[in-house]
Amino acid sequence: MSEANPDIRQQVEANRGALKKLQLLIPGLRGYRSKEDIRVSDELLRNQVADRLDRVKTNLEGLRKQVAATNDLTNLTGVGSLISQVQGFSGEVRHAAQGYAGWVAPITVNEDKLNKLYDYDYSFVSSVFQLEESTSSEGLTYDSSAPNSIQTSLGQIARAVSDLKQKWSMRIEMVEGIALK
């Protein structure tokens, strides 16, 4: 991770309060505290990804306004469908089950597994950043004199959203330990 993109896990560890630091000193609570810190890191990361997806949605809404202003009904449906997909996916990422460190949890996730998951997320997050950039006003322009010219870009965005959903499903399968290897 670079200085511009710090590792969230290190930030969570650096911001531990006195109670959390005390829990790290007590045998039996140390593992619990470490797992909870990783879960907090995961939640922060998921919220940031969802925020980026919300920006993608905002970018697409700007495109929809341009398309509607020219009465281009062909592209209006495609853009509306993408907005709906991105909005639903953002909510799925933001509100995914976080898990807990229960005594008899149905799915046990140890610290190593959580760290591997966090590393897997790097590719996922990078793809979300690319999607945001490709839908920005610099990355996606609408030419009202050639409305069909936007369809290639809309197809690429649809494939990117589909790819992200597949990566997200794979992540969930990894957490649940049901992914085929």
Side-chain angles (χ1 to χ4, degrees), residues 6 11 32 47 68 74 86 93 97 118 126 150 157 169 172 174-175:
Q11 288 183 338
Y32 173 81
N47 283 334
T74 303
V86 171
V93 169
Y118 197 82
S126 297
I150 194 100
I157 293 168
S169 293
I172 298 297
M174 288 175 62
V175 169

Side-chain angles (χ1 to χ4, degrees), residues 12-24 33 37:
V12 169
E13 287 177 17
N15 292 326
R16 286 180 177 145
L19 177 61
K20 293 177 181 175
K21 289 178 182 174
L22 180 63
Q23 290 173 338
L24 288 171
R33 170 54 34 213
D37 286 350

Side-chain angles (χ1 to χ4, degrees), residues 53 84-93 124 164-165 168:
L53 289 169
S84 176
Q85 289 177 42
V86 171
Q87 182 176 6
F89 186 49
S90 171
E92 188 177 332
V93 169
F124 177 73
L164 283 169
K165 287 180 175 180
W168 182 253

Side-chain angles (χ1 to χ4, degrees), residues 30-138:
R30 181 180 325 190
Y32 173 81
R33 170 54 34 213
S34 297
K35 289 177 186 173
E36 284 302 309
D37 286 350
I38 291 173
R39 284 185 184 85
V40 169
S41 301
D42 179 59
E43 181 181 8
L44 290 171
L45 179 67
R46 285 185 295 107
N47 283 334
Q48 289 183 19
V49 168
D51 289 345
R52 294 285 180 151
L53 289 169
D54 290 345
R55 287 185 212 152
V56 169
K57 181 183 144 239
T58 301
N59 292 341
L60 291 172
E61 288 172 341
L63 175 64
R64 180 172 59 185
K65 286 180 184 174
Q66 292 176 24
V67 170
T70 61
N71 294 322
D72 177 5
L73 299 179
T74 303
N75 288 319
L76 191 61
T77 303
V79 174
S81 174
L82 283 173
I83 291 169
S84 176
Q85 289 177 42
V86 171
Q87 182 176 6
F89 186 49
S90 171
E92 188 177 332
V93 169
R94 188 180 304 278
H95 302 293
Q98 185 178 9
Y100 68 102
W103 294 105
V104 192
I107 298 172
T108 304
V109 180
N110 62 28
E111 193 171 337
D112 286 342
K113 194 171 183 178
L114 285 173
N115 280 321
K116 285 180 185 174
L117 185 64
Y118 197 82
D119 292 337
Y120 173 84
D121 285 344
Y122 180 77
S123 154
F124 177 73
V125 172
S126 297
S127 297
V128 171
F129 279 39
Q130 289 172 355
L131 179 62
E132 181 186 1
E133 187 176 316
S134 70
T135 61
S136 69
S137 58
E138 295 84 25

